[in-house]
Amino acid sequence: MRVGDSGFDRSETGCGWIALLVVAGLILGPLPGGTQTPAGVQDLIATHAAEGALFVASDRCLACHNGLTTSRGEDVSIGIDWRSSMMANAARDPYWQAAVRREILDHPEARAAIEDKCSTCHMPMARFTSRAAGGEGEVFRHLPIADQVDPLGLLAADGTSCSVCHQIQAEGLGEEESFTGGFVVAPAGAVTRPVYGPFQVDPGRSRVMSSATGFEPRQASHVQTSELCAPCHTLYTHALGPGGEEIGELPEQMPYREWSHSAYPGEERSCQSCHMPRVEEPTPISSVVGEAREGLSRHVFRGGNFFMPRIFNRFRAELGVVTPAQELDLMASRTLEHLAARSGRLEVEVVDRSREALVVEVRVENLAGHKLPSAYPSRRAWIRLVVRDGEGRTVFESGAFRPTGAVAGNDNDEDPELYEPHYDEITSPEEVQIYEAILEGPEGEVTTGLLTGTGYAKDNRLLPRGFEKSTADPDIAVRGAAARDATFVGGTDRLRYRMDLRGRSDPMTVEAELWYQPIAFRWAMNLDEYEAPETRRFVRYYRTLSDLSATVLARASVRAP
């Protein structure tokens, strides 16, 4: 069954195990408060109790896949790694919740379709279960997370969980029909529900797993390919007109297609090689009758969002977060380490120095296997360049990060109707090189509304190595002035700064930094005009932690005598 067509977290109270009984169909009927499970879904759950559930909670998996350590004592437990990830907390993400609410307020006539589409990858188990019963995915019925007792709500709370990804079949992966959540799992009522992993499981251990979860483990190589990630990381949205009719299509995020057009596939470097690094020594994959295996992949799913774990920790009670605080702190710090090691590199050199002017060139290198930044278009990177005299006084500065989350000199942060162009030369502190995707609506207006956006006025995000601008598909093409910039090519960009020194001859120091922000100031502040609990809440969160919303990926400096 194709999902596109159609976390539980363990706690001391044992609610996760109660949830398992609910999903298994052992607790049915009216829900507290008089809420009734939709009849079709209730019948489906009852069927699953007899024939095997579509999904099970992560508790059922983590009972055996935690407690894993290497010979050096390093904890590589699958469950502990996963539960602090964005995958586990996909449904709790307050920015996603606010963005969904914003789209519904903009397009109220399309509410059902919006919730169905937006729950595909953030609440996939609940959405797929509803679709299998003839319904649609819902978002706000399953919020707040902390209050859920509804079987579907408990599935929704588990985010992107074990029995989603490991049930995905190889059928169609990497093809257009698999994009936007169009992966395939065994149909409802299937006698056998296989789950796929990279290792061969002997009959004895297979029986243990089947009796504990209802799933039959099978060895399959596709789980270690980028194509497994493509369904939820190749997303298209459809722009809506005043009456809710579709008026355009937007390639909302394209990491898989960007990777496909780079040098990385030819080098056999997959998404998992960076985001699920392998343990360097043989390690058991189960704490129950497990045996040491070569190549266990860490389920850290470390990407570009260091900011959200900080929000989860600060506002954990409001968001129903149950992951231990120290694990979220560790996720944030390790994400920052990952970004520093695998994102970008800078070089800066003096091209010309006279009493009248200083000319320097900055070379930016993208170390990632996709655009930098990639995925959701709220992300941006930029160059901060500072020139100081011998006394340490600032002579010139472009791209300073402000505590509010804004970037000095960025037109879009000052005015939502404007944006900063791509530069090949900067001559003023009011100019700043920002690598970003700027959405535009049907009239060419700048927007942060996904269902208003029909294309990109600008996309100068740094290209991965091997990416050819001239042959790129329109959905991943460079947009704006960067398309004509001969120094903006696969893997690198070169940018000149020409600064008026007004007759100064004293030595100077030039410092360059590559900054990154997962949620840009404008993308957060545009939510402030919407009167809804989710939008108001996220703007409050952002303003509280805005000084922690960005980080430096790389630094370089040079002396200009």
Side-chain angles (χ1 to χ4, degrees):
M1 181 173 291
R2 185 171 297 281
V3 177
D5 301 333
S6 55
F8 301 101
D9 294 282
R10 181 175 297 180
S11 66
E12 294 180 359
T13 64
C15 292
W17 293 110
I18 295 174
L20 289 175
L21 296 176
V22 173
V23 175
L26 302 180
I27 300 176
L28 294 171
L31 300 171
T35 301
Q36 189 77 28
T37 304
V41 175
Q42 184 167 326
D43 292 344
L44 180 61
I45 293 173
T47 300
H48 292 168
E51 299 182 6
L54 282 169
F55 304 100
V56 299
S58 55
D59 302 55
R60 190 79 67 90
C61 306
L62 305 191
C64 292
H65 294 290
N66 268 343
L68 310 180
T69 58
T70 67
S71 62
R72 301 186 303 275
E74 181 184 10
D75 192 328
V76 294
S77 296
I78 292 172
I80 289 176
D81 278 347
W82 169 82
R83 70 184 177 185
S84 61
S85 71
M86 290 303 300
M87 303 278 279
N89 292 286
R92 290 182 175 83
D93 183 343
Y95 182 51
W96 171 71
Q97 294 175 11
V100 176
R101 178 62 75 189
R102 177 247 174 95
E103 299 295 348
I104 289 172
L105 292 173
D106 281 346
H107 311 281
E109 65 286 337
R111 172 172 182 154
I114 291 170
E115 290 201 41
D116 182 61
K117 173 68 74 74
C118 293
S119 63
T120 302
C121 295
H122 282 256
M123 296 177 170
M125 295 188 295
R127 193 253 184 184
F128 185 36
T129 300
S130 292
R131 297 280 290 197
E136 292 184 303
E138 297 174 284
V139 173
F140 296 105
R141 178 171 177 261
H142 304 317
L143 300 176
I145 294 291
D147 297 341
Q148 287 304 312
V149 292
D150 179 338
L152 286 182
L154 290 166
L155 284 174
D158 216 25
T160 308
S161 190
C162 320
S163 64
V164 177
C165 295
H166 284 278
Q167 279 199 82
I168 295 176
Q169 299 177 0
E171 178 187 338
L173 289 182
E175 302 299 326
E176 185 174 352
E177 64 266 23
S178 73
F179 299 156
T180 316
F183 54 83
V184 175
V185 302
V191 176
T192 300
R193 298 203 68 79
V195 289
Y196 304 100
F199 305 115
Q200 181 67 46
V201 181
D202 63 67
R205 290 179 174 85
S206 180
R207 284 192 294 272
V208 171
M209 183 169 175
S210 295
S211 63
T213 66
F215 296 115
E216 178 184 295
R218 294 183 185 175
Q219 185 179 27
S221 60
H222 72 271
V223 297
Q224 293 183 312
T225 68
S226 296
E227 285 69 25
L228 184 75
C229 309
C232 281
H233 293 281
T234 312
L235 300 182
Y236 291 86
T237 54
H238 292 90
L240 301 178
E245 72 280 7
E246 292 185 5
I247 60 173
E249 183 179 73
L250 178 76
E252 185 242 279
Q253 57 175 287
M254 300 281 120
Y256 170 74
R257 298 197 66 184
E258 295 160 10
W259 169 86
S260 299
H261 194 62
S262 76
Y264 286 75
E267 298 171 359
E268 298 184 353
R269 297 178 65 183
S270 66
C271 304
Q272 292 88 336
S273 64
C274 287
H275 300 287
M276 298 181 68
R278 296 187 182 185
V279 179
E280 295 180 355
E281 63 178 85
T283 308
I285 61 172
S286 172
S287 59
V288 178
V289 297
E291 60 177 315
R293 304 281 196 168
E294 288 274 3
L296 168 64
S297 293
R298 295 290 301 268
H299 283 57
V300 289
F301 303 106
R302 201 159 291 133
N305 204 338
F306 62 88
F307 187 43
M308 197 55 65
R310 291 171 169 174
I311 289 177
F312 287 147
N313 246 353
R314 180 67 175 270
F315 303 102
R316 55 188 304 113
E318 288 183 66
L319 297 172
V321 174
V322 295
T323 304
Q326 64 271 23
E327 292 180 17
L328 286 169
D329 284 340
L330 187 61
M331 170 59 79
S333 63
R334 286 182 171 173
T335 298
L336 290 170
E337 292 171 4
H338 167 82
L339 287 167
R342 294 181 176 270
S343 293
R345 183 182 294 135
L346 279 181
E347 297 176 1
V348 57
E349 64 175 315
V350 176
V351 176
D352 185 41
R353 169 69 202 270
S354 67
R355 291 176 58 86
E356 286 70 39
L358 170 64
V359 181
V360 300
E361 184 172 271
V362 176
R363 179 181 182 272
V364 194
E365 183 179 359
N366 178 9
L367 303 179
H370 42 63
K371 291 183 181 181
L372 178 67
S374 187
Y376 195 76
S378 68
R379 300 177 173 191
R380 65 180 176 184
W382 71 94
I383 296 176
R384 178 188 179 222
L385 187 121
V386 184
V387 180
R388 305 183 195 278
D389 64 17
E391 302 299 320
R393 293 183 293 262
T394 298
V395 175
F396 177 95
E397 182 172 19
S398 164
F401 175 66
R402 292 172 172 162
T404 59
V407 178
N410 178 26
D411 289 348
N412 189 236
D413 288 351
E414 296 295 328
D415 186 336
E417 296 183 0
L418 303 177
Y419 64 91
E420 198 73 4
H422 173 85
Y423 296 96
D424 56 12
E425 182 174 275
I426 284 178
T427 60
S428 165
E430 297 303 311
E431 300 170 340
V432 55
Q433 184 77 307
I434 303 183
Y435 301 107
E436 62 186 344
I438 296 290
L439 273 65
E440 63 179 1
E443 304 301 321
E445 70 276 22
V446 177
T447 183
T448 55
L450 293 183
L451 302 186
T452 301
T454 56
Y456 292 95
K458 171 190 177 185
D459 184 355
N460 70 333
R461 293 172 296 170
L462 291 159
L463 305 174
R465 183 168 45 81
F467 189 105
E468 291 291 341
K469 289 195 296 185
S470 62
T471 59
D473 185 271
D475 289 347
I476 56 172
V478 178
R479 300 292 180 183
R484 302 181 295 275
D485 182 351
T487 67
F488 184 86
V489 296
T492 63
D493 180 37
R494 290 183 179 272
L495 173 67
R496 285 201 170 189
Y497 289 79
R498 187 178 301 274
M499 293 152 282
D500 182 358
L501 295 184
R502 301 183 184 278
R504 299 184 60 156
S505 59
D506 50 321
M508 304 280 178
T509 299
V510 182
E511 302 167 357
E513 296 173 334
L514 179 63
W515 281 73
Y516 164 72
Q517 189 177 41
I519 304 174
F521 175 84
R522 178 53 52 205
W523 282 78
M525 291 303 104
N526 277 358
L527 296 172
D528 199 26
E529 62 188 76
Y530 293 88
E531 292 295 326
E534 299 84 6
T535 53
R536 289 196 301 266
R537 180 184 66 183
F538 183 74
V539 172
R540 171 169 56 89
Y541 290 175
Y542 192 89
R543 286 176 169 154
T544 302
L545 297 177
S546 57
D547 60 326
L548 300 175
S549 67
T551 189
V552 177
L553 301 180
R555 290 184 170 92
S557 63
V558 66
R559 290 277 292 170

